[in-house]
Amino acid sequence: MSLNGKHIIVGITGGIAAYKTATLVRLLVKSGAEVQVIMTPNAKEFICPVTLSTLSGKPVISEFFTANTGQWHSHVDLGLWADAMVVAPATASTIGKMANGIADNMLVTTYLSAKAPVFVAPAMDLDMMAHPSTTRNIALLRSYGNHIIEPAEGELASHLIGKGRMEEPENIVKALDSFFSERRPLAGKRVMVTAGPTYERIDPVRFIGNYSTGKMGYAIADEAARRGATVTLISGPTAIRPKEPQVEVIDVESARQMYDQCISRFGETDIAIMTAAVADYAPAEVADKKIKREKDEIPQITLVKNPDIAAALGKEKRPGQILVGFALETNDESANALDKLERKNLDMIVMNSLRDAGAGFGTDTNKITVFTRDAAKEYPLKSKQEVACDILDNIAQAADCAQCDK
Ligand code: CTP
């Protein structure tokens, strides 16, 4: 069992399903996990803390201070101690607090401090479950990278029948177990990903940019983190954030800033994946005041070349390092991609064509062909999440080869 030796926080909130959490704690302990139970004050109305401290072998934490000793329970230390946190049952109220950062009890405070993956097993009446507020809060938790263990359908405490019954403890343990036993083939690898557009300033209110949203690069960064890599994402201006909390994001604006960050980090990188749509040119001068409309004169903007980040890394590349580029093309796709592979000394280039429906900027899908020096693999239209998996499968293969060449 992959739970052996894992530190798991079990958070219990005030719902009838709290009685099932005693079994959950028992099963986790039987799997070899160390369990620390945290209860909200309301949870104690539903199940007795003594039951849980006996099953877990540790005093249950519920308050910020132990009343008789004045001992302070550090949510920060608990957050760092945990390999995973499971909130089961999670009531609509606690889900709302977690989604919105309302840290008025030990459980939510610890949740906000937790660096480890968090699993949430909702339990509530079917109408509460279906309420737009609950739906929105659960979607928010998902967007933070939390894992939602969907409630089952069946008879609820209200005797109504519908969705809202907390998943059985055996299945919650299975969800945790499969999370920890997933293959993590990129463990120990340092991955750097560039993503999004770059903005090249013209004056304080204007810039030259492009339509890149960064979705593909963020999906790759998330997937690499899921596979165990230490990921740094160097991101141009985008509206999205990684789903995996362990991805380190470095926000930049211009190609020059992206170049500086990439160059300073490349030495300690094993795999660099360049998905950013970098502007090839920038205004030679940035006006320090807004350029005003002139009556007779049309302003001219002189451009200068930006550094080619991928090509610069290609020059610095050591044996064993892997450099992957992207090519978004509109014509002569394969020839252009292969030319970039050579010119920038890449090990792999991922080509997508604007001629393919569903590929390119802003979509949630992509259709790619992966070129290495001696092979080409064409894939059908897939979600960007699936495409990220395909790309990382190819990179893992190349990494194995690079390891052999070392
Ligand atoms: N790239 C980069 N720095 C640049 C331009 C591009 O790192 N200044 C990277 C991109 O992130 C991508 C690859 O190089 O991985 C190819 O980008 P693309 O814009 O297609 O290449 P260019 O060399 O700019 O060619 P084109 O003439 O098609 O714009």
Side-chain angles (χ1 to χ4, degrees):
M1 259 254 180
S2 56
L3 293 174
N4 196 17
K6 291 278 182 290
H7 294 170
I8 298 182
I9 294 175
V10 174
I12 309 180
T13 74
I16 296 291
Y19 78 91
K20 290 192 197 172
T21 309
T23 308
L24 173 64
V25 171
R26 176 79 194 114
L27 291 175
L28 288 171
V29 170
K30 260 176 91 175
S31 313
E34 243 186 86
V35 176
Q36 174 63 62
V37 175
I38 302 180
M39 297 175 82
T40 61
N42 279 342
K44 291 194 273 185
E45 305 285 333
F46 291 85
I47 185 165
C48 172
V50 174
T51 309
L52 297 155
S53 57
T54 308
L55 290 173
S56 65
K58 281 183 198 295
V60 165
I61 297 175
S62 183
E63 314 295 336
F64 292 104
F65 295 95
T66 303
N68 52 354
T69 62
Q71 185 203 350
W72 180 58
H73 299 295
S74 165
H75 53 277
V76 179
D77 289 348
L78 275 169
L80 292 173
W81 171 83
D83 294 307
M85 179 171 183
V86 192
V87 183
T91 55
S93 164
T94 291
I95 289 171
K97 288 182 186 177
M98 289 164 73
N100 295 287
I102 300 170
D104 66 350
N105 62 40
M106 194 59 194
L107 191 153
V108 181
T109 315
T110 306
Y111 162 73
L112 291 179
S113 307
K115 291 241 180 253
V118 178
F119 296 76
V120 181
M124 64 195 79
D125 195 51
L126 75 165
D127 293 318
M128 292 175 85
M129 187 71 208
H131 195 280
S133 142
T134 311
T135 312
R136 191 202 57 194
N137 287 331
I138 289 181
L140 277 173
L141 292 185
R142 263 210 186 89
S143 75
Y144 306 154
N146 299 156
H147 305 263
I148 306 297
I149 302 176
E150 287 289 339
E153 299 216 6
E155 189 178 348
L156 305 169
S158 59
H159 301 299
L160 294 171
I161 295 183
K163 187 172 173 178
R165 206 164 78 168
M166 186 177 96
E167 187 50 278
E168 294 305 322
E170 290 76 7
N171 291 337
I172 297 178
V173 173
K174 263 191 212 153
L176 282 163
D177 188 43
S178 69
F179 175 83
F180 283 113
S181 59
E182 263 172 24
R183 268 182 62 228
R184 293 165 85 75
L186 293 178
K189 297 272 183 230
R190 282 156 306 182
V191 172
M192 176 169 84
V193 182
T194 66
T198 63
Y199 285 0
E200 311 301 328
R201 286 184 189 216
I202 298 169
D203 69 12
V205 296
R206 303 181 180 94
F207 60 86
I208 298 172
N210 59 65
Y211 290 120
S212 169
T213 56
K215 282 183 183 170
M216 192 66 250
Y218 275 69
I220 290 175
D222 280 330
E223 185 55 31
R226 272 180 224 119
R227 293 179 185 210
T230 305
V231 184
T232 303
L233 177 62
I234 300 173
S235 174
T238 66
I240 52 176
R241 292 287 92 183
K243 291 198 169 66
E244 298 301 325
Q246 62 278 37
V247 172
E248 180 196 14
V249 185
I250 296 175
D251 290 303
V252 296
E253 186 180 286
S254 65
R256 170 50 71 174
Q257 290 167 351
M258 190 175 271
Y259 172 86
D260 290 343
Q261 290 294 340
C262 288
I263 291 289
S264 75
R265 277 155 211 277
F266 189 55
E268 59 201 36
T269 298
D270 299 299
I271 300 164
I273 309 169
M274 319 301 287
T275 76
V278 185
D280 289 326
Y281 303 97
E285 275 169 38
V286 181
D288 56 0
K289 291 194 196 72
K290 187 179 169 195
I291 300 170
K292 300 302 278 182
R293 184 162 25 164
E294 299 290 342
K295 248 200 199 128
D296 307 314
E297 225 178 286
I298 296 177
Q300 305 289 317
I301 299 173
T302 307
L303 298 176
V304 290
K305 244 186 175 174
N306 272 332
D308 186 325
I309 307 167
L313 301 187
K315 281 202 184 99
E316 280 197 18
K317 195 172 62 170
R318 300 185 310 268
Q321 280 184 308
I322 293 185
L323 181 59
V324 180
F326 267 67
L328 175 60
E329 304 294 340
T330 55
N331 56 289
D332 299 323
E333 289 88 345
S334 301
N336 283 333
L338 282 167
D339 174 56
K340 284 174 193 172
L341 179 87
E342 278 307 325
R343 216 165 10 98
K344 304 187 189 216
N345 192 25
L346 307 173
D347 299 285
M348 188 181 296
I349 191 152
V350 180
M351 187 275 285
N352 44 176
S353 171
L354 272 186
R355 283 201 284 190
D356 286 323
F361 290 143
T363 60
D364 288 319
T365 52
N366 206 353
K367 185 175 182 317
I368 57 160
T369 306
V370 176
F371 292 95
T372 50
R373 288 216 151 64
D374 44 20
K377 250 192 245 174
E378 202 178 331
Y379 290 87
L381 186 72
K382 294 189 180 188
S383 71
K384 283 190 172 164
Q385 163 72 45
E386 291 168 303
V387 171
C389 290
D390 290 338
I391 292 168
L392 285 163
D393 286 347
N394 278 284
I395 293 174
Q397 234 175 11
D400 283 345
C401 301
Q403 216 63 37
C404 308
D405 293 348
K406 256 188 185 173

